[in-house]
Amino acid sequence: MNSWSDSDSRFMQLALAEAAQAVNLGEVPVGAVVVRNSVPIGKGHNRTVRDSDPTAHAEINALRAAALREQNYRLEGATVFVTLEPCAMCLGAMLHARIARLVFGAYDAKAGAAGSVLDLANHRAMNHRIEVNGGLMQQECSEILRRFFESKR
């Protein structure tokens, strides 16, 4: 069981706010925030449909924003907070950026690459490892997804 800090919860709230922006765009509600030294340096939400871009996941958008702000593709020491367990593409980008820690809300039994389906964050063949903490505000993160997909039926 993880012991979550107040700042962990605060940053996940920011990620949930990003997920809410995705809902307003008709996108799958996933939000992400990149934090370093207790300061958010990049935020993003899903924009795959709006941008006609299969790579425009929340995590990728947040990493891009953080890298632009920092003027560096390496984001060493940073933590990514995301409402849904990342897929293989997003976890791969985090590995390349040298993210130190990943905190996610809802588990993804279909495509999760941080332990549910694959565990790329700690794969022995990779040259970088990411500390993974899953399940922060899991109910809230799952609920926004459940409501979104229910509205589509």
Side-chain angles (χ1 to χ4, degrees), residues 73-93:
Y73 73 104
R74 296 279 198 227
L75 299 170
E76 292 177 16
T79 298
V80 173
F81 291 84
V82 61
T83 58
L84 180 65
E85 180 181 359
C87 69
M89 174 185 69
C90 293
L91 218 319

Side-chain angles (χ1 to χ4, degrees), residues 62-138:
L63 288 168
R64 285 177 177 153
L68 280 173
R69 175 186 163 145
E70 300 295 301
Q71 291 295 291
N72 193 339
Y73 73 104
R74 296 279 198 227
L75 299 170
E76 292 177 16
T79 298
V80 173
F81 291 84
V82 61
T83 58
L84 180 65
E85 180 181 359
C87 69
M89 174 185 69
C90 293
L91 218 319
M94 288 179 210
L95 287 165
H96 286 289
R98 300 299 190 262
I99 294 299
R101 181 177 177 229
L102 164 65
V103 178
F104 67 86
Y107 289 83
D108 187 347
K110 294 181 180 178
S116 289
V117 177
L118 303 168
D119 187 4
L120 294 180
N122 290 292
H123 195 283
R124 62 186 173 101
M126 299 296 178
N127 65 349
H128 179 69
R129 306 285 183 283
I130 299 173
E131 175 188 337
V132 176
N133 305 119
L136 174 59
M137 300 174 64
Q138 182 174 357

Side-chain angles (χ1 to χ4, degrees), residues 6 32 42 44 52 83 141 151:
D6 289 342
S52 299
T83 58
C141 294
S151 75

Side-chain angles (χ1 to χ4, degrees), residues 5 24 28 33 35 39 44 60 69 77 83 102 107 109 116 128 147:
S5 71
N24 294 335
V28 174
V33 178
V35 175
V39 175
I60 300 295
R69 175 186 163 145
T83 58
L102 164 65
Y107 289 83
S116 289
H128 179 69
R147 283 194 315 265

Side-chain angles (χ1 to χ4, degrees), residues 22-38:
V23 169
N24 294 335
L25 297 173
E27 299 274 359
V28 174
V30 178
V33 178
V34 180
V35 175
R36 184 161 45 197
N37 300 321
S38 300

